[in-house]
Amino acid sequence: MKTLSTQVVIVGAGPSGLLLGALLHKAGIDHIIVERQSGDYVLSRIRAGVLEQGTTDLLDYAGVGKRLHAEGLRHDAFALIFKGAFHRIDIAKRHNGRHMTVYGQTEVTRDLMDHRMQLGLETVYSVGDTVVLHDFDSEHPRVTFTKDGEACEIKARFIAGCDGYHGVCRASVPAGSIQNFEKVYPFGWLGVLSETPPVYHEVTYSNTERGFALSSLRSMTRSRYYIQCGIDEKVESWSDDRFWDEFKKRIDPDAAKRLVTGPSIEKSIAPLRSFVAEPMRFGSMFLAGDAAHIVPPTGAKGLNLAAGDVNVLSKAIIEYYQEQSKAGIDHYSARCLRRVWNAERFSWWFTSLMHKFPDTEGFGQKIQEAELDYLVNSESALHSITENYLGLAH
Ligand code: FAD
Ligand code: DHB
């Protein structure tokens, strides 16, 4: 057995694991990342696109913000469509210029991977489902796995579970020590990425009788669109033509006329779920990002929440080593869960407001329309939605 030692083993090289690695390295703390998939596979997942200012600040601090500032798009507003009418909601004017940035998760991941390569930091890719956690209820946890047929072990002081919703870390916690809170929604999102100019220049959420649609972008020549679809639908039954026909029916008529369509570069269906595991710390093992919580994507909070966790966790581990204090690690779970539940509430509310539910016929639809009407006409409601969209401070 090949044995290595480090201070922190990070399981998962998604955005949470990579960002945590960058922050720990900056503070002189050793770590190794172990990832199930290959680097190319991790980069091929098309997911988040909208970053909060707290997230971009943290990426800057970690030393990976250069391309984000050169190529990311500053967004001062988003829009809502309901009953066929378009309503622009200005965020920046209500919150002293605070704004969002459109920059794909793929690009964030690529920047973090390049940064690791330049610094020569160790990432063990393609370990498949072989990772096993040991002794994390002690101060001497270990992680074992198999790489290219060779059995390996890493001894560490801490394990960071950054391995997403389907990862091994949360699954390793004894059932009696963890509580899961979950809500599954009766629909999914069918997403399409295409090399076409975005029909709206700002992120636009539509509530229609046919269901929800979202128009987003990655650049002024690349669109990211989503439509609400059935929970059991298969992506193969959605040809590009069928997608564009349906999408057109869920945006305002002027936009439908000017929509530029083209072949999809990527097309996938994501189920919608709200999920929180409590607590987020188990002895020497900490959960961060999607490993601990999932929000439905409406409102773009998932990656931003992951960055918030990693910020708190890196500070806690740094405090442990630099000040010999356990205060940060002891407060990690409670500090994160307050911010997490706030974003869970917002994402659940925004999802409930914008989608067609099996019971959103008649009365339900009218109530949604009344709430949307109130929202776009009440300064207090607009202040509240934009405050939540910007996210709670990390
Ligand atoms: P992941 O990205 O899931 O990474 C976990 C990593 O761990 C993966 O690389 C995985 O391969 C690895 N892993 C898993 N199991 C193991 C194992 N056993 N051993 C080793 N490694 C393992 N969020 C936003 O903030 N803004 C948005 O605009 C937004 N839009 C979204 C749109 C869609 C359609 C979807 C699906 C999500 C969106 N999100 C958004 C959410 C965001 O993508 C996630 O919250 C984010 O990917 C979480 O990062 P993570 O690193 O915690 O988890
Ligand atoms: C995107 C995803 C979201 O969930 C959202 O609310 C806004 C934009 C996107 O992928 O661009």
Side-chain angles (χ1 to χ4, degrees):
M1 161 110 66
K2 178 178 170 187
T3 299
L4 301 167
S5 290
T6 188
Q7 289 169 302
V8 183
V9 186
I10 300 174
V11 184
S16 307
L18 292 168
L19 181 55
L20 179 62
L23 294 168
L24 292 178
H25 175 78
K26 191 174 156 86
I29 295 170
D30 280 342
H31 70 277
I32 299 174
I33 303 186
V34 184
E35 163 64 45
R36 174 176 19 202
Q37 307 284 0
S38 68
D40 284 346
Y41 183 93
V42 172
L43 275 177
S44 72
R45 287 190 295 233
I46 308 290
R47 287 182 174 173
V50 182
L51 306 180
E52 294 172 3
Q53 228 172 301
T55 303
T56 56
D57 288 350
L58 195 61
L59 290 165
D60 274 341
Y61 178 77
V64 292
K66 200 166 165 219
R67 203 162 64 93
L68 182 151
H69 287 292
E71 297 176 20
L73 304 172
R74 178 191 163 120
H75 277 227
D76 283 346
F78 63 95
L80 297 179
I81 294 176
F82 60 96
K83 291 171 87 177
F86 179 90
H87 303 266
R88 181 174 191 268
I89 296 182
D90 196 313
I91 311 168
K93 83 165 188 209
R94 295 188 167 87
H95 299 279
N96 300 319
R98 285 176 65 209
H99 57 272
M100 307 294 276
T101 300
V102 167
Y103 190 66
Q105 177 168 333
T106 316
E107 307 312 318
V108 173
T109 307
R110 195 190 306 280
D111 293 345
L112 285 161
M113 283 168 79
D114 289 351
H115 182 69
R116 284 188 81 72
M117 286 265 283
Q118 279 155 19
L119 295 170
L121 299 175
E122 188 161 4
T123 314
V124 187
Y125 280 104
S126 306
V127 301
D129 277 324
T130 62
V131 170
V132 181
L133 275 55
H134 307 267
D135 306 330
F136 57 83
D137 53 349
S138 78
E139 295 196 348
H140 309 282
R142 294 176 297 125
V143 166
T144 56
F145 57 92
T146 305
K147 169 72 181 167
D148 299 331
E150 185 183 22
C152 304
E153 173 186 61
I154 307 177
K155 295 178 174 169
R157 173 65 188 87
F158 297 114
I159 299 174
C162 298
D163 51 347
Y165 180 68
H166 299 288
V168 64
C169 292
R170 192 181 72 252
S172 304
V173 177
S177 306
I178 190 165
Q179 211 181 346
N180 295 331
F181 300 87
E182 185 172 38
K183 178 176 173 60
V184 176
Y185 299 84
F187 41 74
W189 278 17
L190 168 64
V192 160
L193 186 68
S194 76
E195 212 61 68
T196 52
V199 65
Y200 300 109
H201 292 177
E202 292 176 329
V203 175
T204 299
Y205 300 86
S206 305
N207 171 311
T208 79
E209 285 184 15
R210 300 181 71 88
F212 170 80
L214 167 59
S215 165
S216 184
L217 60 158
R218 292 292 176 270
S219 71
M220 296 319 282
T221 55
R222 187 175 272 206
S223 306
R224 180 65 167 158
Y225 298 128
Y226 300 94
I227 54 173
Q228 174 182 353
C229 65
I231 194 156
D232 295 322
E233 288 198 61
K234 298 275 169 280
V235 75
E236 300 76 47
S237 59
W238 282 91
S239 65
D240 288 357
D241 285 346
R242 182 176 173 211
F243 175 84
W244 292 120
D245 282 349
E246 186 59 37
F247 183 73
K248 268 187 205 166
K249 293 177 184 152
R250 300 190 191 188
I251 54 180
D252 75 88
D254 287 343
K257 273 187 224 136
R258 66 170 190 268
L259 176 75
V260 180
T261 62
S264 58
I265 317 172
E266 194 265 357
K267 198 189 287 160
S268 53
I269 293 181
L272 265 68
R273 173 193 315 274
S274 299
F275 173 86
V276 182
E278 292 193 5
M280 288 171 58
R281 177 213 176 176
F282 307 88
S284 299
M285 194 267 278
F286 301 84
L287 300 177
D290 280 16
H293 40 74
I294 297 287
V295 285
T298 336
K301 288 286 152 261
L303 175 58
N304 293 298
L305 275 182
D309 293 351
V310 159
N311 182 29
V312 178
L313 183 54
S314 63
K315 285 183 178 147
I317 294 175
I318 293 166
E319 187 179 313
Y320 176 86
Y321 282 112
Q322 293 184 349
E323 296 169 33
Q324 287 74 48
S325 162
K326 288 188 174 177
I329 59 176
D330 287 343
H331 292 126
Y332 171 73
S333 186
R335 267 194 77 184
C336 288
L337 284 168
R338 182 158 176 251
R339 175 178 38 81
V340 166
W341 275 112
N342 199 291
E344 289 283 347
R345 186 206 65 76
F346 174 66
S347 307
W348 159 81
W349 170 79
F350 202 20
T351 300
S352 311
L353 183 64
M354 298 307 295
H355 290 75
K356 186 176 170 73
F357 285 76
D359 60 355
T360 336
E361 301 289 339
F363 185 79
Q365 169 89 12
K366 288 284 185 191
I367 291 291
Q368 278 187 343
E369 286 171 5
E371 183 159 6
L372 283 160
D373 185 36
Y374 165 68
L375 182 61
V376 298
N377 288 297
S378 156
E379 193 43 50
S380 327
L382 286 165
H383 194 88
S384 170
I385 191 175
T386 48
E387 179 183 39
N388 279 280
Y389 201 78
L390 280 168
L392 267 191
H394 287 191

